[in-house]
């Protein structure tokens, strides 16, 4: 029997004042509360939130427990993030605007310690209502002084850069970036394992449970906000394709790599790299096959953690599939360990192979054809 197995966890639903019910349709969740749900945590190893395995040989075990039990068989050469699994993955449904907020930068995280950790994150847009947008960074010319004046005048939101969005786009938000998710937008969020948020503005809303507005954290936020140049947050993309699969790199930063993988129905390619990877399944159905264990079925809305130690691993597609593949970039002294055997996917000279380097090419955004 294999020591490790593919892992799919029970979602952790988070009711939010700004949440709704779109997670039921956008990512096929069965919400277990009548309250508006803003977040579904798919992969979490935090102080007060632990993902629990839903099915398979490890059913009922927590992610943090498996990190300790399986060690390198789960993580490969990837280091922990301050003692924790290095990713936190969620789905977010913004039925109303999220607060204007910022997350701790490295300076504040080091100063405060404890559960205050750097929070770098990225949003992959799953659904956007007409007019849907995000807020990321400032319009030109904003300084610390002008932003403080706007906060005092209640007009801080007017200084944010508003970006219209559509499904298939991806935006990177490093710690220190002022931002907000706009109403009518559903995203998959990939981030470092931190849940510290400093609110600057909450759209003057009142919490119906308390009759008052939510707390703001202006002093802490001002200590973290990056007032330097901020582009629209869409990194350059690269693309590799064969007749039956394509891989598009969406984000590469020190904290994580996000790639969009499309795979045709009826194929059964091997995969593996000696490092763990996470698949956030967006379309299609399939199975993970591996030595010594029963196949693990996946469907849209599932987040699958594939341990580094899986043996003879293959994916069998039962329909056309698309998923976000998330991994951790290795330090340069581990560069000899390939993250993914791309030779199993496509090689130059193969029939149907195409490689493109895309520099913010609008035609590459949201293409599902």
């Amino acid at each position: 029997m294999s020591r490790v197995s593919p892992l799919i966890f029970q979602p952790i639903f988070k009711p939010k004042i700004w949440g709704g019910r779109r997670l039921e349709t956008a990512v096929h969740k069965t919400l277990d509360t009548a309250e508006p749900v803003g977040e579904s945590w798919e992969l979490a190893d935090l102080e007060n939130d632990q993902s629990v395995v839903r099915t398979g040989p490890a059913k009922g075990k927590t992610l943090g427990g498996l990190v300790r039990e399986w060690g390198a068989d789960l993580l490969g050469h990837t280091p922990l993030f301050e003692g924790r699994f290095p990713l936190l993955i969620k789905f977010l449904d913004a039925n109303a605007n999220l607060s204007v907020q910022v997350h701790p930068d490295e300076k504040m995280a080091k100063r405060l310690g404890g559960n205050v950790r750097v929070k770098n994150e990225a949003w992959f847009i799953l659904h956007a209502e007409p007019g849907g947008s995000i807020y990321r960074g400032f319009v030109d010319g904003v300084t610390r002084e002008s932003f403080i004046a706007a906060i005092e005048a209640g007009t801080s939101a007017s200084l944010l850069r508003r970006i219209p969005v559509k499904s298939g786009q991806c935006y990177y938000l490093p710690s220190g970036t002022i931002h907000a998710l706009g109403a009518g937008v559903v995203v998959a969020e990939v981030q470092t394992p931190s849940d510290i948020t400093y609110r600057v503005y909450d759209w003057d809303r009142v919490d119906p449970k308390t009759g008052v507005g939510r707390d703001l954290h202006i002093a802490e936020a001002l200590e973290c906000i990056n007032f330097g140049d901020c582009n629209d947050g869409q990194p350059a993309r690269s693309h590799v394709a064969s007749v039956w699969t394509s891989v598009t790199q969406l984000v590469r930063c020190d904290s994580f790599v996000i790639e969009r993988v499309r795979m045709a129905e009826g194929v059964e390619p091997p995969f593996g790299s000696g490092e763990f990877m996470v698949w956030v399944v967006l379309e299609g159905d399939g199975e993970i096959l591996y030595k010594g264990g029963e196949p693990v079925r996946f469907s849209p809305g599932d987040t699958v953690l594939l341990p580094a130690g899986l043996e003879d691993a293959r994916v069998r597609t039962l329909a056309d599939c698309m998923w976000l593949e998330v991994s951790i970039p290795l330090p340069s002294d581990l560069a000899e360990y390939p993250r993914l055997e791309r030779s199993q996917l496509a090689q130059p000279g193969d029939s149907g192979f195409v490689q493109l380097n895309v520099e913010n090419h609008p035609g590459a955004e949201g293409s599902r054809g």
Side-chain angles (χ1 to χ4, degrees), residues 132-143:
S133 62
I134 67 170
Y135 299 84
R136 185 190 187 281
F138 295 106
V139 298
D140 292 341
V142 175
T143 64

Side-chain angles (χ1 to χ4, degrees), residues 167-231:
S167 62
Q169 293 177 321
C170 193
Y171 291 86
Y172 177 50
L173 299 103
S175 62
T177 303
I178 193 82
H179 64 280
L181 187 61
V185 181
V186 179
V187 302
E189 181 176 272
V190 175
Q191 60 168 93
T192 49
S194 171
D195 194 39
I196 300 298
T197 294
Y198 300 132
R199 298 189 198 103
V200 175
Y201 177 61
D202 201 30
W203 308 97
D204 300 321
R205 67 182 143 212
V206 173
D207 188 335
K209 291 183 177 180
T210 64
V212 298
R214 296 191 298 171
D215 291 339
L216 302 179
H217 317 95
I218 293 174
E220 296 89 341
L222 289 171
E223 190 172 337
C224 297
I225 292 172
N226 175 13
F227 287 94
D229 286 341
C230 178
N231 61 26

Side-chain angles (χ1 to χ4, degrees), residues 77-154:
H77 299 88
T78 303
L80 296 175
F81 186 93
E82 298 187 17
R84 302 185 176 278
F85 187 79
L87 292 170
L88 174 58
I89 294 180
K90 312 173 182 177
F91 294 118
L92 275 62
D93 171 18
N95 190 55
N97 289 340
L98 273 66
S99 63
V100 176
Q101 59 189 247
V102 69
H103 303 305
D105 61 2
E106 187 172 356
K107 180 181 177 182
M108 177 166 276
K110 286 182 177 179
R111 181 170 68 81
L112 296 180
N115 68 337
V116 180
R117 294 180 287 269
V118 169
K119 184 176 178 181
N120 300 316
E121 61 188 9
W123 289 336
F124 182 85
I125 310 298
L126 299 174
H127 169 83
E129 293 290 302
S133 62
I134 67 170
Y135 299 84
R136 185 190 187 281
F138 295 106
V139 298
D140 292 341
V142 175
T143 64
R144 177 185 174 89
E145 292 71 25
S146 63
F147 190 57
I148 291 173
I151 291 172
E152 293 172 348

Side-chain angles (χ1 to χ4, degrees), residues 37-355:
V37 173
E39 302 180 356
S40 176
W41 288 25
E42 302 295 305
L43 195 61
D45 177 17
L46 294 185
E47 290 84 350
N48 299 316
D49 289 284
Q50 280 289 319
S51 291
V52 176
V53 180
R54 188 179 79 199
T55 187
K59 182 178 179 179
K61 295 187 176 183
T62 65
L63 176 56
L66 290 173
V67 166
R68 295 185 291 273
E69 180 182 343
W70 289 356
D73 285 342
L74 175 59
L75 296 165
H77 299 88
T78 303
L80 296 175
F81 186 93
E82 298 187 17
R84 302 185 176 278
F85 187 79
L87 292 170
L88 174 58
I89 294 180
K90 312 173 182 177
F91 294 118
L92 275 62
D93 171 18
N95 190 55
N97 289 340
L98 273 66
S99 63
V100 176
Q101 59 189 247
V102 69
H103 303 305
D105 61 2
E106 187 172 356
K107 180 181 177 182
M108 177 166 276
K110 286 182 177 179
R111 181 170 68 81
L112 296 180
N115 68 337
V116 180
R117 294 180 287 269
V118 169
K119 184 176 178 181
N120 300 316
E121 61 188 9
W123 289 336
F124 182 85
I125 310 298
L126 299 174
H127 169 83
E129 293 290 302
S133 62
I134 67 170
Y135 299 84
R136 185 190 187 281
F138 295 106
V139 298
D140 292 341
V142 175
T143 64
R144 177 185 174 89
E145 292 71 25
S146 63
F147 190 57
I148 291 173
I151 291 172
E152 293 172 348
T155 59
S156 58
S158 67
L159 300 186
L160 303 185
R161 177 177 286 136
R162 179 181 174 274
I163 305 170
V165 296
K166 60 184 179 180
S167 62
Q169 293 177 321
C170 193
Y171 291 86
Y172 177 50
L173 299 103
S175 62
T177 303
I178 193 82
H179 64 280
L181 187 61
V185 181
V186 179
V187 302
E189 181 176 272
V190 175
Q191 60 168 93
T192 49
S194 171
D195 194 39
I196 300 298
T197 294
Y198 300 132
R199 298 189 198 103
V200 175
Y201 177 61
D202 201 30
W203 308 97
D204 300 321
R205 67 182 143 212
V206 173
D207 188 335
K209 291 183 177 180
T210 64
V212 298
R214 296 191 298 171
D215 291 339
L216 302 179
H217 317 95
I218 293 174
E220 296 89 341
L222 289 171
E223 190 172 337
C224 297
I225 292 172
N226 175 13
F227 287 94
D229 286 341
C230 178
N231 61 26
D232 70 359
Q234 287 189 278
R237 296 183 173 193
S238 62
H239 186 74
V240 177
S242 73
V243 292
W244 50 269
T245 192
S246 67
V247 180
T248 304
Q249 182 174 287
L250 303 174
V251 174
R252 174 175 285 271
C253 63
D254 291 342
S255 298
F256 47 75
V257 177
I258 305 175
E259 295 175 310
R260 183 179 59 197
V261 177
R262 301 180 188 273
M263 198 168 288
E265 177 182 358
V267 298
E268 195 173 304
F271 66 88
S273 65
E275 306 303 330
F276 83 82
M277 63 183 76
V278 177
W279 291 355
V280 181
V281 182
L282 304 179
E283 296 177 7
D285 299 280
E287 295 177 323
I288 305 297
L289 312 176
Y290 65 105
K291 183 177 179 180
E294 295 295 319
V296 173
R297 182 78 174 262
F298 62 81
S299 300
D302 287 336
T303 295
V304 187
L305 172 54
L306 300 165
L310 282 182
E311 296 184 54
D312 299 331
R314 291 170 290 144
V315 56
R316 176 188 293 159
T317 56
L318 306 176
D320 289 349
C321 290
M322 181 175 74
W323 59 79
L324 301 180
E325 183 174 296
V326 186
S327 60
I328 306 295
L330 294 173
S332 58
D333 60 344
L334 296 177
E336 62 186 283
Y337 301 101
R339 194 194 60 73
L340 182 64
E341 295 174 0
R342 292 299 185 207
S343 61
Q344 300 291 341
L345 298 179
Q347 298 180 16
D350 285 353
S351 175
F353 175 89
V354 180
Q355 180 166 341

